[in-house]
Amino acid sequence: MPIFCLSRIFNAATTRSSVLRIIMFFLMSPVVSQAQTVELVGDINPGGNSSVTQKIDLGGTLIFSAYEPTHGAEIWKSDGTPGGTSLLKDINPGTGNANINNLIVYDGKVYFSADDGTHGREIWVTDGSAAGTVMLKDIDPAGNGSFSYPIVFDNRLFFVANDGVHGSEWWTTDGTAGNTQLFVDSSSVGGSPANPYIFNDELYYAYLQPGIGVEPWVTNGTPAGTRLLTNINMTASMNSSPAEFREYNSFLYFSADDGLTGSEVWVTDGTASGTSQLVDLRPGTLGSAPRHFFPYNNRLYFEAADGTTGTEVWMTDGTATGTSLLSDIHPTGNADPIGFTLYGGNLFFSATDGVHGREPWLSDGTAGGTFLLKDINPAGSSMPGYFTFSLNPVEYDGKLFFVADAGSNGYELWTTDGSGSGTLLLPFSGGSGSGPLAAFNEFVLCGGFLYFDANYDGTGEDLYRVAAGGATVEEDLPEEPVLFPNPSTGLIQLRLPAFCHDVYFEVTDLAGRTLLLEKNTGLRQLDLSDFPPAVYLLRIQWQDGSKTVRLVKTGSGR
């Protein structure tokens, strides 16, 4: 058996700065993966629907809203066990519904809106005990003071409320009734602040001012420091409707409509003069309607439609010339990418290519590295959603969890390690099968477990959690080395059998000149993105065998 050196050998005639790269794709590396199981936490309404919603972690205790016929929809708590799951307080006494909403943790307590049947919808607070669950303040004694868009800023809790006099405006609290007060009245009719986002120690939001319209506003936490950032849509009383605020590379990006080019990508450094349209992706008045901004791999990714390629994944480096289409996933229609999620150094999202329906996709930030992860529902669309990772990744047991429909039992709980073979339906420990999550609301991490709502027994929605460990699941590894796709415009996935050890790779051109020689193990990718269209040879050699494969590179790949 030939012995190869662990070094790269390049043809002297090859002048590219980046020739052929073999990249470890650790998401696909395990041969055997640990499986999780689903377990019932509490059957709150036996034989009926518990309507579990609004879940949040309070120091390891799960606070949530649930329904049972004796007390209606109220606030509950759980320590993760059936015996430790109980009604926290009957806020609206009897069978009336308290309508719990907008939960947020601030200074060790949970704040939320609720209706006790007497004061209307107001701001409430709980420390996790019944005695510590109280209405903080009756903001509107004659109606619903409400409590929306809560956000912790400047060591206070900001929220939108209406006292019946000033309209919907920003209010603040330090957790005491005496210091729960109107922050500033910037509009005599109530400006209805929305879409709050913190950037450079200031709070940005959309706000309606009579005669100007809905435009971006900003505050430093003082009434005097609260101002209109700039009037993007200069037509009187017309709205630019700023939304999708997201920080990237020390600037704030958002979508807005200037009344001339439609909704496009805008950027600001926090000053009026430093606020401008980044690029007009769709010339004309319709706009590209950018959404779902997501920083990844030194770029800002988003969904947009330029009028030519449909709604696809776009990316930008913060310049007009550096804004481009990532990949035309659906060449004849709209890919409609949503749910951008970071996991294991890759970008996950759901999309449709017009062939497989809406399914989970993965990207490493290149056109060649953007591909369908798994066709969960071959007969239609699995409609994957609710990825548990966000801008600040939260890893649960090293897996990514989502909800999808395989076409047989409706929406169910799925998990992935980033590989197609490692994308699996999660079993329910209480029975032989799993059931639909049609009324699914959200995942919440609490006390080291992943909680969610589901209807596994067919009698109604209840509270469940994922338990780590349990039986192992053998991944479907090939009997010999497999490459896909081939031909390819860029990245080629390489999967090896379990018996392959001490693996060496040698890539040559058809003249036999070695372009790369390296040793590695496990699964990986070959990146041909920078290579010209041509045919290459890949020789794979392991401890007691070898295989040579022709690699066909087509297109530019980028």
Side-chain angles (χ1 to χ4, degrees), residues 174-299:
D174 63 359
T176 65
N179 286 326
T180 300
Q181 55 197 0
L182 178 69
F183 170 61
V184 63
D185 183 11
S186 301
S187 169
S188 60
V189 297
S192 300
N195 307 324
Y197 190 90
I198 298 173
F199 168 67
N200 280 354
D201 297 324
E202 292 189 308
L203 182 63
Y204 290 75
Y205 54 96
Y207 188 79
L208 171 63
Q209 186 177 37
I212 293 180
V214 179
E215 296 291 342
W217 279 63
V218 59
T219 180
N220 62 3
T222 67
T226 302
R227 67 191 189 280
L228 171 70
L229 176 61
T230 188
N231 189 3
I232 293 175
N233 192 328
M234 297 297 291
T235 304
S237 298
M238 296 301 290
N239 307 321
S240 72
S241 302
E244 308 284 341
F245 291 111
R246 182 57 63 92
E247 181 178 359
Y248 161 68
N249 205 19
S250 301
F251 287 89
L252 184 63
Y253 292 78
F254 57 99
S255 64
D257 183 351
D258 63 2
L260 302 173
T261 60
S263 178
E264 294 288 354
V265 180
W266 283 68
V267 59
T268 184
D269 61 2
T271 66
S273 61
T275 303
S276 62
Q277 186 182 93
L278 175 65
V279 61
D280 186 5
L281 287 180
R282 186 171 187 170
T285 59
L286 292 179
S288 65
R291 298 191 303 162
H292 312 309
F293 294 116
F294 194 89
Y296 163 68
N297 201 22
N298 297 320
R299 295 289 187 273

Side-chain angles (χ1 to χ4, degrees), residues 40 131 147 150 182 201 297 299 331 339 466 473 476 502 516:
L40 177 66
F147 175 79
L182 178 69
D201 297 324
N297 201 22
R299 295 289 187 273
V466 177
V473 177
D476 185 19
D502 300 323
L516 183 143

Side-chain angles (χ1 to χ4, degrees), residues 448-503:
F449 290 90
L450 183 65
Y451 290 83
F452 64 101
D453 47 285
N455 178 11
Y456 277 101
D457 59 7
T459 63
E461 186 181 8
D462 288 305
L463 181 64
Y464 291 81
R465 73 178 186 181
V466 177
T472 58
V473 177
E474 295 286 343
E475 295 192 11
D476 185 19
L477 292 174
E479 296 182 357
E480 63 177 29
V482 174
L483 288 87
F484 61 94
N486 188 17
S488 173
T489 59
L491 287 183
I492 296 177
Q493 303 293 323
L494 175 61
R495 304 190 66 233
L496 299 176
F499 58 76
C500 280
H501 304 290
D502 300 323
V503 182

